[in-house]
């Protein structure tokens, strides 16, 4: 169970799309504070599964496998004469806010080419659906004048000496040994 102090569940892409569904279940059990945001990166990855699988996550298949909730009645199911449920559809229905990776993609997903069958669900929930431009504000996060960088840690394309100071500061903060000239690398990735 989530702690009572939780304020926001952020679900990025398909795998955590079930978080807003679980939040809905938790609200029914008295956990009313947190809100949720689902960010959709690719509408094609919808997480189809047999409705029976919902029970394994502690959800109620008979209640959620409805066309206005999670049932994808536009797509034949894995089992004969049955339709599947979509985690993405459930995430859109139950999230407090739904975003995509850009305002342009938010408009494109209303078309059959990009909506992948989700157009009607998105239309019903358009009041909470928008696109947020992926990326960074290059002025706010510029290493040439970022006030959060250590002293003498500023750098720009023509003078990269400050990177050494930033690396040393980061490794010190992470309690890791500093080695020069070895690289310090970090990875943020999506596997699909």
């Amino acid at each position: 169970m989530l702690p009572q102090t939780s304020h926001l569940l952020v679900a990025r892409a398909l795998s955590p799309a079930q978080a807003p569904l679980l939040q809905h279940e938790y609200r029914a059990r008295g956990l009313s504070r947190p809100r949720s945001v689902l960010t959709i990166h690719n509408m094609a990855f919808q997480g189809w599964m047999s409705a029976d699988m919902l029970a394994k996550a502690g959800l109620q298949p008979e209640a959620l496998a409805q066309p206005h909730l999670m049932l994808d009645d536009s797509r034949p199911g894995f089992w004969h004469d049955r339709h599947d449920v979509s985690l993405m559809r459930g995430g859109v229905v139950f999230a407090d806010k739904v975003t995509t990776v850009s305002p342009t993609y938010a408009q494109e997903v209303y078309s059959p080419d990009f909506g992948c069958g989700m157009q009607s669900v998105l239309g019903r929930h358009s009041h909470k659906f928008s696109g947020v431009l992926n990326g960074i504000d290059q002025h706010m996060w510029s290493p040439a004048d970022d006030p959060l960088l250590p002293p003498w840690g500023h750098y720009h394309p023509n003078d990269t000496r400050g990177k050494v100071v930033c690396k040393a500061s980061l490794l010190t903060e992470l309690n890791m040994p500093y080695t020069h000239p070895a690289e310090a690398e970090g990875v943020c990735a999506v596997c699909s």
Side-chain angles (χ1 to χ4, degrees):
M1 185 100 146
L2 294 172
Q4 290 290 337
T5 57
S6 297
H7 296 286
L8 181 65
L9 297 171
V10 178
R12 295 187 63 230
L14 174 63
S15 300
Q18 62 189 348
L21 290 140
L22 295 171
Q23 171 190 321
H24 177 73
E25 288 292 311
Y26 291 146
R27 282 183 185 162
R29 296 179 182 135
L31 184 64
S32 60
R33 272 192 98 171
R35 300 295 178 248
S36 62
V37 177
L38 170 64
T39 299
I40 300 171
H41 292 262
N42 187 333
M43 201 61 71
F45 298 117
Q46 295 185 22
W48 291 294
M49 66 179 70
S50 167
D52 300 337
M53 295 297 289
L54 294 173
K56 294 185 184 293
L59 300 171
Q60 300 171 0
E62 59 281 350
L64 295 172
Q66 305 295 324
H68 66 286
L69 297 176
M70 293 184 70
L71 186 70
D72 190 348
D73 54 359
S74 68
R75 177 181 184 278
F78 293 110
W79 304 103
H80 182 65
D81 291 333
R82 291 179 60 190
H83 294 281
D84 292 330
V85 294
S86 161
L87 284 178
M88 179 78 70
R89 184 179 293 255
V92 168
V93 169
F94 290 107
D96 295 302
K97 180 77 175 162
V98 181
T99 65
T100 65
V101 295
S102 76
T104 302
Y105 190 56
Q107 295 304 312
E108 291 171 341
V109 296
Y110 284 108
S111 73
D113 289 342
F114 292 98
C116 302
M118 292 283 291
Q119 302 90 296
S120 63
V121 174
L122 295 171
R124 286 195 306 273
H125 296 276
S126 63
H127 63 282
K128 60 182 181 181
F129 180 63
S130 64
V132 177
L133 189 59
N134 224 352
I136 62 170
D137 180 328
Q138 294 181 4
H139 298 291
M140 177 183 283
W141 297 101
S142 171
D145 55 10
D146 188 335
L148 300 176
L149 291 180
W152 305 285
H154 296 106
Y155 60 92
H156 53 81
N158 297 329
D159 181 2
T160 59
R161 290 175 291 180
K163 284 186 167 188
V164 174
V165 175
C166 290
K167 175 185 171 184
S169 177
L170 174 65
L171 293 174
T172 299
E173 188 173 330
L174 295 174
N175 199 24
M176 296 175 70
Y178 176 83
T179 54
H180 184 77
E183 299 292 325
E185 295 183 28
V187 176
C188 179
V190 175
C191 299
S192 59

